[in-house]
Amino acid sequence: MTQTSQRPLRVLAAMSGGVDSAVAAARAAEAGHDVTGVHLALSANPQSFRTGARGCCTIEDSRDARRAADVIGIPFYVWDLAERFREDVVEDFVAEYEAGRTPNPCLRCNEKIKFAALLDKALALGFDAVCTGHYATVVLADDGSRELHRASDMAKDQSYVLGVLDERQLAHAMFPLGDTLTTKDEIRAEAERRGLAVAKKPDSHDICFIADGDTQGFLADRLGGTAEGDILDESGTKLGTHEGAFGFTIGQRKGLRIGHPAADGKPRYVLDISPVNNTVTVGPVEALDVTALTAIKPRWCGTPPSGPGTYTAQLRAHGGETEVTAALVDGTLTVAFTEPVRGVAPGQAVVLYDGTRVVGSATIATTVRRETAAATSG
């Protein structure tokens, strides 16, 4: 296999205003590509997004991206994708929580915005590829197809949130940071050598469209405020009340506000969330053990698997790998874990790997618990 982009290309570099996307654009230009920078305006009112040096969606970020493009010496534009972002990412995020699921908005943004809306517009304007600062690698297989692989440095790998990209999108994707064994400090040092003012800018770790980082408050505002419901144990006994089931996630321990301890004195965790009757069920940590799951809406980074296979799976953006067997049955992905895993919630993405290659991604619909051996849908 060889890495892609051996010939000069017309490249549209998505520049968030952070250090990674700035260095990626600079590397693409240095490699001889004809690069144009673009910052995505993702809010009709950017002041409502997080303020400060976050590297994502504020007016300040747009200005940082423009200054970086000026230093690199490439044209720069701001494209308004606020309406598309609101519909495909923000509203999807709210709807998923309302249904008792736990979505990943960054993954959805990559699928719907950066490598759909942005890529489609770029191709229509004659660009060959979209470049981002993600840490992942696209390689050209011997049969001419493209494959998505983990970054050379596992500590920075971001292939999980790119697992929704299909082969067509991969054919027009460029990740200049993915194949270099450099630490984040070295990336910052490179930015400083290049004269990029974002060299010391902090990374963004929060959800960009939640201004104050208060996810529960954000959801309460959009889902009609607080709605008191019951906190139950596994037998259905009421232990306390809450102010909205949407404020909880599977595996949560803190903030339960249960008045009395469990009989065994051990902590309790959120096991299930039922938006239909606005209840939250809690129990011991052992009850979080998941042995299998089903996942819907699969997206494949190349040819779909033809039958049952053995893979590794990643279940969250910064999680580790676990061995699984998986099969596609009537459009639904069934996954069985070699060893039970915890903290698996409907709405999350399960991403399958064959070595370093990303096989594909699907949205978790149901889980099977070791204790109950029964499927739950959150």
Side-chain angles (χ1 to χ4, degrees):
M1 295 182 182
T2 58
Q3 292 184 4
T4 60
S5 305
Q6 297 300 309
R7 63 180 178 83
L9 304 174
R10 285 196 68 203
V11 174
L12 188 69
M15 302 182 69
S16 67
V19 63
D20 289 330
S21 61
V23 171
R27 287 187 178 185
E30 189 174 65
H33 300 300
D34 178 7
V35 180
T36 296
V38 62
H39 180 81
L40 305 184
L42 299 180
S43 173
N45 178 22
Q47 292 93 331
S48 70
F49 279 23
R50 179 176 294 278
T51 57
R54 306 305 304 176
C56 192
C57 308
T58 67
I59 290 176
E60 177 185 353
D61 296 320
S62 175
R63 293 169 180 163
D64 287 343
R66 182 179 297 278
R67 283 191 288 266
D70 288 343
V71 171
I72 298 168
I74 58 176
F76 178 83
Y77 300 92
V78 176
W79 286 0
D80 183 1
L81 292 179
E83 184 64 20
R84 182 76 179 266
F85 183 80
R86 180 185 63 79
E87 293 176 356
D88 289 343
V89 180
V90 180
E91 291 183 1
D92 173 80
F93 178 84
V94 174
E96 287 292 285
Y97 264 101
E98 186 176 23
R101 296 186 287 267
T102 306
N104 185 312
C106 295
L107 187 146
R108 194 65 60 230
C109 183
N110 286 329
E111 176 188 359
K112 299 291 188 179
I113 304 300
K114 293 175 183 173
F115 293 96
L118 176 63
L119 177 58
D120 289 346
K121 188 172 183 179
L123 295 177
L125 292 173
F127 288 94
D128 299 303
V130 166
C131 163
T132 73
H134 287 101
Y135 291 87
T137 306
V138 177
V139 299
L140 186 63
D142 295 335
D143 62 1
S145 63
R146 263 79 172 182
E147 296 179 354
L148 178 65
H149 285 249
R150 289 193 182 277
S152 298
D153 185 355
M154 278 291 293
K156 299 196 297 295
D157 176 65
Q158 292 176 305
S159 60
Y160 174 85
V161 295
L162 298 169
V164 291
L165 304 186
D166 60 27
E167 188 176 346
R168 170 188 169 273
Q169 292 168 321
L170 291 175
H172 300 285
M174 180 182 292
F175 307 120
L177 305 187
D179 61 350
T180 53
L181 283 170
T182 52
T183 66
K184 191 57 179 278
D185 286 342
E186 288 172 321
I187 291 292
R188 293 190 181 282
E190 179 179 340
E192 192 160 12
R193 289 195 303 272
R194 293 180 181 276
L196 300 171
V198 293
K200 293 183 171 62
K201 188 172 182 177
D203 291 335
S204 176
H205 297 292
D206 302 308
I207 299 171
C208 69
F209 52 83
I210 299 181
D212 57 3
D214 180 8
T215 300
Q216 186 167 357
F218 174 87
L219 292 168
D221 287 344
R222 283 152 182 82
L223 296 175
T226 58
E228 186 174 289
D230 294 336
I231 299 177
L232 310 174
D233 65 14
E234 292 177 284
S235 68
T237 301
K238 181 177 176 179
L239 303 177
T241 60
H242 61 78
E243 297 178 346
F246 54 78
F248 296 84
T249 57
I250 301 295
Q252 179 178 333
R253 174 185 174 184
K254 296 182 179 179
L256 300 183
R257 294 184 296 179
I258 299 172
H260 52 279
D264 60 7
K266 294 181 179 179
R268 283 173 287 206
Y269 299 76
V270 173
L271 304 181
D272 288 296
I273 303 162
S274 177
V276 175
N277 54 19
N278 197 28
T279 61
V280 174
T281 301
V282 299
V285 68
E286 295 81 7
L288 287 171
D289 285 348
V290 168
T291 59
L293 60 82
T294 65
I296 58 175
K297 302 177 182 177
R299 291 177 62 86
W300 306 108
C301 300
T303 305
S306 58
T310 301
Y311 306 94
T312 57
Q314 187 170 330
L315 299 165
R316 53 186 66 84
H318 303 292
E321 291 180 275
T322 183
E323 289 188 359
V324 301
T325 56
L328 191 63
V329 181
D330 296 328
T332 296
L333 185 67
T334 62
V335 178
F337 297 97
T338 302
E339 297 289 340
V341 295
R342 291 175 179 171
V344 183
Q348 292 175 330
V350 53
V351 177
L352 299 182
Y353 291 83
D354 180 6
T356 63
R357 181 175 69 87
V358 182
V359 178
S361 171
T363 302
I364 298 171
T366 64
T367 61
V368 177
R369 297 265 173 80
R370 180 168 60 177
E371 293 297 316
T372 62
T376 63
S377 58

